[in-house]
Amino acid sequence: MTFTQKKLRSAAWFEGEGLRAFSHNARMRQLGMNPGEHLGKPVIAILNTWSGINPCHMHLRERAQQVERGVWEAGGYPLEFPVSTLSETYQKPTPMMYRNMLSMETEEILRSYPVDGCVLMGGCDKTTPALLMGAASAGLPTVFVPAGPMLRGNWRGEKLASGTDMWRFWDEKRAGTISSSDWAEIQSGLARSPGTCMTMGTASTMTAAAEALGLTLPGASSIPAVDSAHYRMAAASGMRVVEMVREGLTIDDVVSAEAYEDAIRTVLALGGSTNSYIHLIAMAGRSRIPLSLDDFDRLSREVPVLASVQPAGEHLMEDFYYAGGLRGLLSRLRESLHLKRITVTGRTFGEDLEGAEVYDSSVIRTLDDPISPEGGLAVLRGNLAPDGAVIKYVAADPALWRHTGPAVVFHGYKDLQARINDASLEVTKDSVIVLAGGGPKGGPGMPEYGMLPIPDKLLREGVRDVVRVSDARMSGTSYGACVLHVAPEAHVGGPLALVRDGDLVTLDVEARVLRVEISDEEMARRRDAWTPPPPKFERGYGALYYEHITQANEGCDFEFLSRPGANPEPNAH
């Protein structure tokens, strides 16, 4: 495929005899740059989400040096830009609230500065979609550099999984089966290196989706953060984006409806995070590609789960890498993929997969021996979720895939915290625990509250899973019979706001049903009596977020960012 090389975009800042060009070049001299070091060369923006509070990205300040090395070697001029870091561990109420802010920052940096292409550096859950959403809106040659997963955790010879084992051992501590000293040892062994969660959480799911879209170098998403291959990949990414600028190959040439279908198939085969549904819908919207929950559910019926990676399987990302990584998994899906589409390499997706193999079929299963014959995520609908809800059912107790039980309702997370372990709470293993008020507006920001805690008294009885329903999200490292993303959310008057204690709630994964067993007339009476809650924010970014955020089934983007339309290039002279 041939692309049209255009005049360097950065030339509008530096070429000519006008006063502004003089000023721009004078300031480059102030930066210590001679004319031959940058004039006429592709200027590459390196958008780095490193910060001192984000352990997933603690190595990216160093890794940016390898990207710069690659840019210089290919004859480009690198410019590193620090951008917002979205630390899943620390940012409250949730980094999901700030995903769109980073996407705006990405788009406007790329639009407003003299850059010809970009390398995006991220990986911690929301940074991948945020960076790619902004880059899609900007439309420049783009390569994504995933942060990479951390090494396996360890405790007394047992492999530990960040997130997944934290939840598991927290339940055991509450149940009294492990001691406080055990818990302290686990804390020290859970996360042993830089990098993102080493489970198939949102981070690894979304970087794999980025690779499946064709926006990383082949194999990039699986490399552990501290492996020397990660250094080499970063340098190669810097080299490749310079070539893309010269070829005129942009992000718009790479992403397509076919690419998004392959990304969805990849997520499903990985047993990936439920959060991917929201992010991929938002990302596709920025590229003006229609994508809905129905597309996910249609493909979920066709794609088996092949990756035995926690929380849906047994292994961790380091094992997945040694077993062949994402290229190995994709080699087993070749017959269902769109192999003729272009990627950032300038080659076809099929050419990028040539030579890919699987070296351990216990980690990356074969098509005739899958973890599950269907994708591990299901889209549910019914009178409780008219616009959809999702469940990662392969990470739940199969006995709960079809279940009807009485609701135990909490209105907001503070209510949940205050009452979930109250000895007088009427709850059994057959109950359906409901959290209303955890959605995009109600959360606020749709926090990862959705893995609702099992009451202490049930844990002591040996119960380890119950059906839980909310309009919140949950960590991709989480597990259990958790129905999430109920839309529309309770805060805007969705049916979840109308459920009462004792109402029978039915979950049927096979039938794709989520409903409350009350009549339409009773639902209407309750809706008429419902009072809308006040806005969560009165000013600032929170008010902007509250006024413009869309619902989960629409990707939780800002409507003014996802709408079609073009903005003019800045007047550089």
Side-chain angles (χ1 to χ4, degrees), residues 268-291:
L268 293 168
L270 289 169
S273 169
T274 50
N275 290 303
S276 63
Y277 282 33
I278 295 175
H279 297 318
L280 287 171
I281 288 172
M283 289 160 59
R286 295 296 187 92
S287 296
R288 300 165 298 283
I289 295 170
L291 198 63

Side-chain angles (χ1 to χ4, degrees), residues 247-321:
E247 295 165 5
L249 174 60
T250 73
I251 190 171
D252 291 335
D253 298 311
V254 174
V255 296
S256 63
E258 291 182 339
Y260 271 97
E261 182 168 303
D262 287 346
I264 295 171
R265 289 181 181 276
T266 299
V267 166
L268 293 168
L270 289 169
S273 169
T274 50
N275 290 303
S276 63
Y277 282 33
I278 295 175
H279 297 318
L280 287 171
I281 288 172
M283 289 160 59
R286 295 296 187 92
S287 296
R288 300 165 298 283
I289 295 170
L291 198 63
S292 73
L293 290 178
D294 291 336
D295 296 307
F296 287 86
D297 201 53
R298 170 178 56 83
L299 293 171
S300 183
R301 298 286 196 176
E302 304 172 7
V303 181
V305 180
L306 301 182
S308 179
V309 179
Q310 294 190 42
E314 301 176 4
H315 302 281
L316 298 174
M317 285 301 297
E318 195 175 348
D319 309 308
F320 182 72
Y321 175 63

